[in-house]
Each structure stands twice: as structure tokens, then as C-alpha cells.
Amino acid sequence: MTTPSSAHGEQLHTLYSHHHGWLFTLLKRRLGCAEDAADLAQDAFIRLLLRPKEFDNSGGARAYLTTVAKGLCIDLWRRREVEQAWLDAIAAKPEMFAPSPEHTVIVLETLSDVNHMLRCLPQKVAKAFIFSQLDGLTYREIAVRLDVSERMVKKYMARAMYECAVFELASADELIK
């Protein structure tokens, strides 16, 4: 008798053997780098391992993998933009203020996570959060910039703070696992 987990394992093996080469080629063409393509192809199949999906046909599997691959590429490009901005900021500082490699990794991971969280927020909520936290603007100043009421800015900030708390809990949960 086949258990659900072994049936899923067999299905994933079949999907991998039938579609990995195709997905790798697609990603390599899009990224121009075989190493990045290999990493993202593996990440796509890891997602299937963690969140199993049923496909009626090969086209459905490829459509899903294409969608996942596009998202993974976007995440990679955004992460690299954040990394480059950080490296540019560090390069502008005197060498004695340069952070250690360990600190740099922590900062880059944190910046990438915050960037992801902000991109998930509605645009005005993200802008209000940035204006408040990075630019130090008052709610009244933010309201003027966003052309909304001060009360709306309070709602935006409440939403942003809520999302920060959810993000922090999810991050802490990942550390425990």
C-alpha cells in the first residue's frame, strides 16, 4: 500500500525528472547565469516539496513552475538591488567603519526581509512607514505628502506596524524551526 507521503514523493520525482531540465534552461536564459538558474530551479522544486500541488497535465505543471520561477527571479533581482545599495553605502564610508562580513550578512538579510515586507504593503502604507521611520516626518507632514488626512496616516501606520509584528513573529518562528 502506498502512503500519501510516498505517493507525493513519487509524483515530485516524476515532476522533477520531466521538468527540471526545461525549468533550468528557462531560468538560465532569463538570468544569464547557470549557477543562479540551478539554485532557483532547486528552490522551485523545494516549494513543491513543502507545499504539494496536484497537476492534471504537463502543461499545468509547467505553468505553475513558470509562475514560481518568475517570482523567484524577481526576488533575486530585488535582493541584489538591496545588496548593491548597501555595498554602495558602505563603500562611501571610511574603511575603519566597514562592518564585519558577519554583520554585513545580517544587515543584508534584514534589509531584504524589510524590502519584501514593504513591497507586500499597499503603496501609501509603505510610503507612510518610510516617511515616518526613515525621514522622521510627523503624521501631519506625511498626510500632506500623501494628500490624505492625518487620521488616514494613523491607519496606515497601524497597518504597517501590524505587518512588522507579524513579520517579526514569522521570523522568530523560523529561528525556532
Side-chain angles (χ1 to χ4, degrees):
M1 182 174 155
T2 305
T3 64
S5 60
S6 66
H8 171 62
E10 289 173 21
Q11 180 190 24
L12 186 60
H13 176 72
T14 300
L15 281 168
Y16 186 88
S17 62
H18 288 138
H19 301 291
H20 180 267
W22 165 82
L23 183 61
F24 171 77
T25 302
L26 175 84
L27 287 164
K28 185 177 174 188
R29 203 171 40 245
R30 179 168 280 176
L31 298 170
C33 175
E35 291 81 13
D36 288 340
D39 287 345
L40 294 189
Q42 290 302 106
D43 288 349
F45 284 100
I46 288 171
R47 286 192 181 191
L48 275 173
L49 180 65
L50 297 174
R51 290 193 182 124
K53 301 269 186 221
E54 295 285 329
F55 302 105
D56 294 335
N57 56 41
S58 182
R62 285 198 175 187
Y64 173 80
L65 289 169
T66 299
T67 301
V68 169
K70 285 179 184 178
L72 290 170
C73 286
I74 290 168
D75 289 346
L76 176 69
W77 293 326
R78 285 178 179 161
R79 188 170 49 252
R80 290 202 174 144
E81 281 179 4
V82 169
E83 288 174 8
Q84 191 57 53
W86 168 252
L87 293 173
D88 291 347
I90 293 302
K93 300 281 184 198
E95 194 172 318
M96 62 189 234
F97 293 109
S100 68
E102 296 83 8
H103 183 78
T104 297
V105 168
I106 291 168
V107 168
L108 289 174
E109 286 177 4
T110 303
L111 287 172
S112 180
D113 290 344
V114 169
N115 185 42
H116 176 73
M117 183 199 70
L118 288 172
R119 289 183 184 272
C120 292
L121 292 174
Q123 188 175 19
K124 284 191 175 184
V125 174
K127 282 184 176 185
F129 182 79
I130 290 169
F131 286 150
S132 171
Q133 300 302 304
L134 297 182
D135 297 335
L137 299 182
T138 65
Y139 285 8
R140 179 169 295 169
E141 293 167 326
I142 296 168
V144 169
R145 285 207 184 175
L146 296 179
D147 195 29
V148 297
S149 68
E150 204 172 327
R151 184 172 186 216
M152 198 68 198
V153 172
K154 289 177 184 177
K155 288 181 180 183
Y156 290 162
M157 290 302 295
R159 167 85 186 272
M161 293 301 182
Y162 170 78
E163 294 298 333
C164 285
V166 168
F167 175 76
E168 191 172 327
L169 285 173
S171 296
D173 195 37
E174 285 296 314
L175 289 175
I176 293 171
K177 291 178 182 180

